[in-house]
Amino acid sequence: MLVDPGPVDLNDSDASVRISFAIVALAARMVPIADRRGWHAEWHAELLAHNAMLRSRRSRNTWTWLRLIWHALGSFSDAWQLSAHGFGPANLVRDLGLACRSLAKRPGFLATAVITLALGIGANTALFSVVRGVLLRPFPYEDPERLVQLLGHREGETPGSGNVSYPNLHDFDQVSATLTGVVGMAGWRPALTGDQPQVLPGATVSWDYFHVLGVRAAAGRFFEAEEEGEGRVRAVVISHGVWTRQFAQDRDLIGRQINVDNESYTLLGVAPEGFEGPHLISFEGEQPVIWRTPWFEATDTFRSGRSWKGLARLAPGVGIEQAQTEVSVIMGRLIEQYPEENTDRQVTLSPLRDSVVSDSRSALLLLLGAVVLVLLVACVNVANLLLGRMLERQDELLVRGALGAGRGHLLTLLFAEGLAIAAIGGALGVLLAYASVGALVGIAGMWLPRPEGVGVDGTVLAFSLALTLGTSVVFGLLPALRVTRDTRLSAVSGVRMAGARSALGAGLRRTLVLVQVAASVVLVIGAGLLLRSFWNLQRVDLGVGSQGVMTVTMHGASWWDLEPEAATVGYRELLDRITALPMVNAAGAIDVVPLADNHSCDGFIPIDRPPPGPGEGECAEVRSLTPGALEALGVHLLSGRTIDWSDRSDAAGAMVLSREAAQHFWPDQEALGKAALVHSDTFSVVGVVADIRHFGPAEAATPLVFLSAQQEPWNGITRGLTLVMSGPPAIERAGQEIARAIQDVKPAAALEAIRPMRTLLANTTGGSRFRAALLLAFAGLALLLALVGIVGVISQSVTRRQRELGIRIALGAAPGRAVRAVLGEGVRITLAGLAIGLLASLAMTRLLQSFMFGVSPLDPTILAGGCVLVFGLAVLASWLPARRAGRIDPVQALRGE
Amino acid sequence: MTVPTALVTSAVAAGSRYGFEIMEATGLPSGTVYPVLRRLERGGFLVSTWEDPAVALADGRPRRRMYKLTGQAAPLISAAAGKLMSLRGFAGPGLVSPEAG
């Protein structure tokens, strides 16, 4: 047993001794209080004895000076060993066991803390898995950072669809030294015909498409140069998924013929498993799974036909700026060579990743910021809960401290509880994320690029683990530091300050709740603005009906080979059959359904004006349709008539314009009766219809031109058109009957998903819905957690002020006054939180501006509404526990003391 | 048993009493010697006492803490000697065979 050696006399003025003593004094802070004096005395005595010995041995020099300090530094290792009595991995495991047992005795507390944390970590993990899958996951190509998209656009304008013409791409490929391969790709929607025809998303690509991406075939081979162009052998490459599902990975089929769109194609090879196209072409979110090469010579085709996406690989050692300079020079030459098609056009290079994720990046990062705020609120709540619990354990901690537990030991003990809660909450959170990721991707719809890579993988799990440990430090260690500081003071002074102790942490808890209220206000206002934007988008008049309208696309029905007259007869028969269905009011067919993302630009020249010079020609979106299509789509006729069956190929050309097109081409004039050249054929305006927002509610109405499919220059009637039919809302559930009716007339037709127009609308507003739904969920979560925090703080306040309130009631104060006194505290915290939150909102809602539609970031209704909502709920949350103040029995309250 | 534990055990068995004396005898730094001493003391192999105040006063310095092996340490001492013997060519200063302890 140690004997107290009494104070140490420190009269040595030697600098090395003084430094050594200072080091030992610092190390002593780690030693448990009970052992500290003895430990200190031993190190002092040893250092002095050692110093005397060194001094007697040789003359003082730097070496002896350093040696003493080196020995003193060893005191840290000694002190650590002593404090490790309660602070170290082995003890943490023991304390974790202790924490789990003690938490099990408080199931209510445990459940609240764990659920709070699971929601916070779950929301963060789920959103991070989206961010990881979309923004962070590398493209599965060789050196993907060197791939660039060639974006075509008008000079001085930002690229829209970025489409370019195939001959221009071919010229870039031939001439450029800074790009090693330039490839083009365009959408293709073929049907694998056979027993069960199936429509697949596909693409027509340059022969060296896969070579430029740098991927290897899983079976067979990819295209060679001679397999592109006129007279080429028809060949396709298919995805690993199609090979597995349709051909059971049969290697014998490689090199054989398969039936695509009723034609024979050689199956050349299979793309590697997990191959992901560059996301420049997608069919409502679906990536191509079958590829063919162009069947025409690049030099022979229209240079004005801009319907291709361009992709290239930067040559080794070449930067994007250098390549851009060369591309601009080449484009300059192409303008000189082909002024008619290229004047006023420019090509901009953009890193592939930017092209693919630019739309979603800012929204995802913003949501990630919001969800971190939710986690902060959750952590604050758990910290508050733990602080309350630690304060309850003050007596136990005092005893432990008095018995020699160092601060390190007490910290580990308290931290272990936080860690245990975090571990359970984190595990639940990951499960929650796992369950909700699918729903998140579903809400986003087509808006989210690369959705196939979104999921809970190793990286996401590592993120959650880091989050769990990080949060446990925030909410476990901070309150523990606060509590143990006071424990030590109390232990040293030996005084138990009951009043001061219960007040301890109250200030901290109030501050934490204030932070929660502020964060909630920011999220509630942000959610309000995005929700309003989404609401506005839903209310936009698209110019077409979205309720009770069904669409279905047919493939493999051999229209292609039919003469226009035969095709017309076929369509009439089919449409008559469909119209005869009891729930169908109107039916027709059109080549591109509104809201399906498809930009085209077809030359349109009013014949009452002088012919335009090079680059001055105007264009419009030209649609080809049968009678009944505009009626089925619910487009309002403003004047004249719509297309009817009399608009045959041998009749005078007729066209119907949208109001935007009529005003654009004949401003301030009556468009009816006017004529224009559309791809060198003449058409007269026979009708004007209301505007259609073809590309979605957030986009302006585009000039649209509707031609009779029988008269359209490219024989639209012989191609596969999309059937549209309208009726009562019940029609949306009549998919089976519609399919049967079509197959009665055309048994060989492959039908694409029969779906309501609503689905297309939902796809175009996917981004807005995703942002609004997520921010709303986050705001709701944060607000709920903040309210729980307020209830906790006010409850604690009532308990703490029980004596004071008891005396006030005993002296004649009405119980209502006591309630108001406590309520006032809640109101003050809330008002302070509201003020901070409102200021933060004013600064932060600007970040949301690009996601808003028809609402200002400073919308007074939403700002005020958000504040009133938070304030009202916060006052309610304060009032619930405050009622207890009015029921305090003065006798009981005073007896308790 | 680690080499530092063997060295410290043997040094105390050979008569070293103070922490810094044991450091000198074993050549180990203070940051190694003290943790070993604490572990041995917790294990009951070692006890510590404060030296006689009169001795310290006579030398004009504070009292030092002295370490002494207990009866329980006998197997530890032979294990330490075995461990040190097994180290080829080892011959530490001031170290003696377990019988001498």
Side-chain angles (χ1 to χ4, degrees):
Chain A
M1 202 60 195
L2 277 178
V3 179
D4 188 344
V8 179
D9 183 21
L10 302 178
N11 286 329
D12 200 301
S13 58
D14 190 293
S16 64
V17 174
R18 274 189 285 118
I19 294 172
S20 301
F21 279 8
I23 292 170
V24 168
L26 204 63
R29 299 172 78 101
M30 283 197 279
V31 179
I33 291 169
D35 297 338
R36 198 173 293 165
R37 273 174 77 90
W39 183 89
H40 219 147
E42 178 181 5
W43 274 91
H44 277 182
E46 291 302 309
L47 284 170
L48 285 173
H50 199 69
N51 186 44
M53 186 192 74
L54 289 172
R55 199 184 295 199
S56 66
R57 264 193 208 168
R58 59 191 102 167
S59 59
R60 306 285 295 164
N61 58 22
T62 314
W63 169 241
T64 55
W65 204 87
L66 287 176
R67 195 147 171 214
L68 196 70
I69 292 173
W70 169 242
H71 286 323
L73 284 171
S75 64
F76 273 102
S77 172
D78 186 20
W80 172 257
Q81 162 86 19
L82 288 173
S83 80
H85 232 344
F87 200 67
N91 297 302
L92 185 59
V93 170
R94 188 196 62 202
D95 287 343
L96 265 177
L98 202 66
C100 288
R101 282 196 297 278
S102 113
L103 284 172
K105 288 182 201 149
R106 302 282 304 270
F109 166 81
L110 180 66
T112 315
V114 160
I115 291 171
T116 302
L117 212 57
L119 290 172
I121 291 180
N124 272 270
T125 304
L127 196 65
F128 179 76
S129 69
V130 177
V131 170
R132 145 110 183 118
V134 175
L135 301 185
L136 305 179
R137 191 168 50 94
F139 282 97
Y141 315 131
E142 189 189 318
D143 220 355
E145 301 308 319
R146 303 201 62 75
L147 290 170
V148 289
Q149 190 189 357
L150 288 89
L151 292 160
H153 57 98
R154 272 182 188 277
E155 187 89 59
E157 287 179 12
T158 50
S161 65
N163 284 359
V164 277
S165 79
Y166 200 65
N168 277 359
L169 282 177
H170 179 258
D171 288 342
F172 279 120
D173 191 32
Q174 297 293 307
V175 178
S176 173
T178 56
L179 302 173
T180 53
V182 180
V183 293
M185 61 198 97
W188 177 41
R189 201 104 168 102
L192 270 188
T193 37
D195 297 342
Q196 286 179 315
Q198 199 196 354
V199 183
L200 297 175
T204 307
V205 294
S206 306
W207 70 269
D208 50 348
Y209 171 75
F210 292 102
H211 302 272
V212 166
L213 290 179
V215 293
R216 288 167 188 275
R221 62 173 176 86
F222 293 137
F223 306 106
E224 296 296 341
E226 60 273 16
E227 278 152 351
E228 173 175 335
E230 212 168 314
R232 60 108 165 91
V233 177
R234 288 194 171 115
V236 286
V237 169
I238 56 173
S239 75
H240 200 274
V242 172
W243 190 41
T244 308
R245 283 192 306 276
Q246 306 281 322
F247 304 109
Q249 298 198 0
D250 185 355
R251 281 183 184 268
D252 289 344
L253 282 175
I254 308 290
R256 300 276 183 86
Q257 302 294 305
I258 61 168
N259 214 339
V260 181
D261 274 348
N262 288 331
E263 283 174 347
S264 196
Y265 277 78
T266 307
L267 178 56
L268 268 193
V270 178
E273 199 171 354
F275 172 77
E276 177 191 343
H279 295 270
L280 299 179
I281 294 174
S282 80
F283 296 88
E284 289 162 25
E286 277 188 274
Q287 290 295 299
V289 293
I290 181 166
W291 299 268
R292 65 170 173 182
T293 49
W295 60 96
F296 50 81
E297 292 300 325
T299 45
D300 272 2
T301 189
F302 294 114
R303 207 168 274 274
S304 57
R306 286 182 280 270
S307 54
W308 294 77
K309 303 283 181 192
L311 182 75
R313 181 174 282 279
L314 295 172
V318 172
I320 193 164
E321 297 82 12
Q322 197 183 344
Q324 178 67 62
T325 311
E326 196 205 28
V327 161
S328 299
V329 170
I330 298 172
M331 194 61 207
R333 265 186 256 152
L334 287 174
I335 293 173
E336 281 172 25
Q337 247 176 310
Y338 310 101
E340 206 166 310
E341 296 93 345
N342 287 334
T343 298
D344 213 20
R345 304 290 306 177
Q346 192 46 264
V347 168
T348 300
L349 298 182
S350 154
L352 177 64
R353 181 178 291 278
D354 289 359
S355 287
V356 174
V357 301
S358 58
D359 281 355
S360 48
R361 181 186 285 137
S362 48
L364 284 179
L365 293 182
L366 188 102
L367 286 171
L368 200 60
V371 85
V372 167
L373 218 50
V374 174
L375 186 64
L376 175 79
V377 173
C379 278
V380 165
N381 247 15
V382 180
N384 246 340
L385 280 169
L386 273 178
L387 188 63
R389 177 156 163 74
M390 287 174 190
L391 291 171
E392 283 173 20
R393 289 176 69 182
Q394 193 97 7
D395 284 343
E396 175 206 330
L397 297 177
L398 277 171
V399 171
R400 281 178 184 272
L403 288 177
R407 192 178 179 196
H409 186 180
L410 295 180
L411 275 178
T412 323
L413 201 67
L414 295 175
F415 179 58
E417 274 202 357
L419 199 62
I421 292 170
I424 305 171
L428 276 180
V430 169
L431 286 180
L432 211 64
Y434 192 79
S436 60
V437 158
L440 276 189
V441 173
I443 293 172
M446 253 168 64
W447 170 77
L448 199 68
R450 315 180 72 203
E452 63 282 346
V454 174
V456 179
D457 61 3
T459 315
V460 175
L461 285 178
F463 170 83
S464 308
L465 188 67
L467 210 60
T468 305
L469 289 176
T471 49
S472 67
V473 168
V474 171
F475 69 70
L477 209 50
L478 294 185
L481 281 170
R482 178 83 179 82
V483 169
T484 52
R485 194 180 75 202
D486 293 284
T487 304
R488 194 184 49 177
L489 283 175
S490 307
V492 170
S493 62
V495 178
R496 282 191 53 194
M497 299 165 288
R501 186 162 59 87
S502 61
L504 183 134
L508 178 62
R509 293 186 74 170
R510 275 197 295 267
T511 314
L512 290 177
V513 168
L514 193 146
V515 169
Q516 286 185 314
V517 172
S520 306
V521 171
V522 171
L523 288 174
V524 165
I525 289 177
L529 289 169
L530 289 190
L531 207 61
R532 183 63 198 260
S533 303
F534 180 62
W535 174 249
N536 288 347
L537 279 176
Q538 298 295 307
R539 287 162 53 94
V540 167
D541 180 12
L542 295 167
V544 293
S546 57
Q547 294 283 329
V549 180
M550 290 288 278
T551 69
V552 51
T553 307
M554 303 190 305
H555 287 261
S558 303
W559 313 111
W560 190 267
D561 293 327
L562 291 180
E563 286 303 306
E565 286 71 22
T568 307
V569 172
Y571 266 113
R572 285 196 81 156
E573 189 188 348
L574 185 60
L575 292 174
D576 286 346
R577 178 76 176 80
I578 293 171
T579 319
L581 291 172
M583 79 293 288
V584 176
N585 294 341
I590 186 166
D591 58 350
V592 179
V593 181
L595 301 176
D597 187 27
N598 190 316
H599 286 268
S600 71
C601 183
D602 303 283
F604 187 100
I605 307 167
I607 56 171
D608 53 1
R609 269 189 249 158
E616 290 173 0
E618 291 193 282
C619 62
E621 300 267 346
V622 177
R623 301 283 174 261
S624 168
L625 45 72
T626 69
L630 289 175
E631 289 80 354
L633 285 170
V635 180
H636 295 295
L637 181 66
L638 299 178
S639 60
R641 65 172 177 90
T642 58
I643 299 297
D644 60 39
W645 290 111
S646 68
D647 295 316
R648 288 188 302 271
S649 52
D650 53 359
M655 64 178 167
V656 171
L657 300 187
S658 69
R659 179 161 53 188
E660 177 67 25
Q663 285 175 354
H664 181 79
F665 294 113
W666 289 282
D668 309 320
Q669 291 180 52
E670 177 58 69
L672 268 186
K674 293 283 195 298
L677 283 175
V678 181
H679 272 282
S680 68
D681 288 1
T682 308
F683 293 88
S684 299
V685 181
V686 297
V688 176
V689 293
D691 280 329
I692 296 176
R693 290 178 191 258
H694 183 86
F695 299 107
E699 308 289 330
T702 35
L704 285 166
V705 176
F706 301 99
L707 302 182
S708 162
Q710 299 177 76
Q711 296 180 333
E712 190 230 359
W714 308 280
N715 277 338
I717 193 76
T718 62
R719 298 202 306 267
L721 299 177
T722 298
L723 299 175
V724 287
M725 54 223 83
S726 64
I731 194 175
E732 292 180 4
R733 294 190 296 276
Q736 293 279 345
E737 286 177 75
I738 294 168
R740 266 200 303 277
I742 296 170
Q743 269 155 352
D744 278 353
V745 183
K746 296 286 165 196
L751 303 184
E752 253 186 77
I754 303 175
R755 60 189 173 181
M757 193 77 178
R758 262 185 316 120
T759 317
L760 287 171
L761 177 63
N763 276 339
T764 61
T765 52
S768 173
R769 189 175 52 237
F770 182 75
R771 294 186 292 262
L774 256 64
L775 206 55
L776 186 68
F778 296 160
L781 206 55
L783 188 57
L784 182 73
L785 295 177
L787 295 178
V788 171
I790 291 173
V791 170
V793 157
I794 301 301
S795 298
Q796 190 213 15
S797 173
V798 173
T799 311
R800 184 163 51 82
R801 295 174 66 182
Q802 201 150 19
R803 185 161 176 265
E804 171 213 329
L805 295 169
I807 293 173
R808 283 167 72 165
I809 292 171
L811 291 177
R817 277 185 75 92
V819 175
R820 276 200 296 280
V822 176
L823 198 58
E825 190 181 342
V827 170
R828 277 195 298 279
I829 298 173
T830 307
L831 283 177
L834 273 181
I836 295 171
L838 195 59
L839 284 177
S841 294
L842 293 179
M844 286 168 82
T845 48
R846 288 180 196 288
L847 298 174
L848 292 173
Q849 199 147 21
S850 59
F851 311 123
M852 290 187 197
F853 181 80
V855 60
S856 145
L858 300 177
D859 188 277
T861 327
I862 289 171
L863 289 181
C867 289
V868 168
L869 177 75
V870 174
F871 182 76
L873 289 175
V875 170
L876 184 69
S878 308
W879 178 69
L880 292 175
R883 280 178 313 168
R884 207 150 50 82
R887 292 199 296 265
I888 289 175
D889 178 355
V891 179
Q892 284 291 332
L894 293 172
R895 187 181 295 152
E897 285 299 313
Chain B
M1 178 187 274
T2 62
V3 174
T5 307
L7 282 169
V8 170
T9 308
S10 300
V12 180
S16 299
R17 292 170 298 166
Y18 309 117
F20 275 44
E21 212 171 84
I22 298 165
M23 276 162 50
E24 292 285 317
T26 58
L28 293 170
S30 59
T32 305
V33 168
Y34 274 101
V36 171
L37 287 174
R38 306 295 178 212
R39 274 200 297 275
L40 290 174
E41 192 175 8
R42 264 209 303 280
F45 304 109
L46 203 69
V47 285
S48 63
T49 49
W50 291 94
E51 70 174 340
D52 189 346
V55 178
L57 205 62
D59 286 355
R61 57 172 176 77
R63 288 187 296 164
R64 298 175 75 179
R65 197 176 187 181
M66 301 188 299
Y67 295 89
K68 192 170 74 177
L69 289 167
T70 63
Q72 282 183 51
L76 198 70
I77 297 167
S78 46
K83 175 91 185 171
L84 298 179
M85 289 298 208
S86 71
L87 301 173
R88 186 188 295 270
F90 180 85
L95 297 177
V96 292
S97 66
E99 288 75 30

